[in-house]
Amino acid sequence: MLFPLRDFRRLLGVLVMLLMVGSLSAGVTTYKVKSGDTLYRIALAHKTSVSALKSLNGIKDERKLQVGQILKLSASSRSGSSSSSSKSAPYARVGVGKRIVIDPGHGGRDKGAIWGGVRESDLNMKVCRELETILKGRGYSTVMTRRSDTFVSLTQRAAIANRYRNAIFVSVHFNATRETWVKGAETYYAGAAGRSLATAIHGEMLRRLELRNRGVRLARFTVLMQTRCPAVLVECGYISNSKERRRCATTSYCQTAAMAIAEGIRKYRWR
Ligand code: ZN
């Protein structure tokens, strides 16, 4: 189609304006590093995570932060952008207003399963810390039911989740059985909303960790029954199976498990 030159210029003007509005609404802001700043403090002040800042700015060693250095922050959560497919900030709006209660199973006097020197409660914590970092980087508010090797009862864990509205509860475990040939992942739920969350997480676990599918299962576990929000319990693998235990005990496995859970949460349709 042919346009008169005048119309073409007008069209060009509109296009430039649209592009400007687009880049503004993407909400990418910057921060000038001040004396005494640490990446952790900057991340905290701007509701992002250290790992998000590092990857956004290509920082390998966070101790080498320079005063006056300009850092890109993650896209603003108040961004009015309607484009959620933007590659630079795909998670900018996903988690706003949502609370993820992360529950590292066992701890303290309750060590969970112990096989071949590998303690379940330690692995649970490893996965949960990774999960917390990923989710914070994506704009979710998170709560951990424990942060150290301490005992927290199942009722207390559910009570922590019940403090929040618009929350989901994710309990992280590794499994064990005397039948040492058994391996794979199981994800448990107690209610209908929990079931769809469990299905979303379980699918990602199987795909990303190439685990044997032991199913999404209904279970009347205390921690699921006493929680009012959608709640799931993820069994990330069997540490009683020597081959699977060797995989589970690696940092990369725990990181991938955390990423799988985070992706399941992203795919879950919040009510
Ligand atoms: Zn457990």
Side-chain angles (χ1 to χ4, degrees), residues 111-123 239-240 242 245-246 248-249:
K111 307 247 176 294
I114 304 177
W115 281 78
V118 174
R119 295 189 341 165
E120 184 205 345
S121 60
D122 293 343
L123 293 187
I239 60 170
S240 46
S242 60
R245 178 172 64 246
R246 276 196 294 276
C248 292

Side-chain angles (χ1 to χ4, degrees), residues 105-106 110-113 120-121 124 171-176 233-235:
H106 312 283
D110 172 15
K111 307 247 176 294
E120 184 205 345
S121 60
N124 297 342
S171 191
V172 173
H173 290 250
F174 283 77
N175 218 338
L233 188 148
V234 189
E235 294 280 4

Side-chain angles (χ1 to χ4, degrees), residues 63-109:
R63 289 165 301 182
K64 288 185 182 157
L65 214 56
Q66 303 277 335
V67 174
Q69 188 179 344
I70 306 290
L71 293 181
K72 275 185 251 168
L73 303 171
S74 63
S76 156
S77 58
R78 271 160 294 181
S79 148
S81 170
S82 59
S83 150
S84 56
S85 61
S86 155
K87 271 193 179 145
S88 59
Y91 307 112
R93 282 156 39 98
V94 175
V96 175
K98 319 287 192 201
R99 176 84 57 170
I100 319 289
V101 182
I102 304 171
D103 178 45
H106 312 283
R109 62 181 140 101

Side-chain angles (χ1 to χ4, degrees), residues 175 185-190 195 198 202 213-221 224 233 238:
N175 218 338
E186 293 143 22
T187 307
Y188 293 93
Y189 66 93
R195 185 184 183 172
H202 193 71
N213 183 4
R214 293 185 45 84
V216 173
R217 302 176 178 194
L218 176 70
R220 299 175 65 82
F221 295 146
L224 299 180
L233 188 148
Y238 274 81

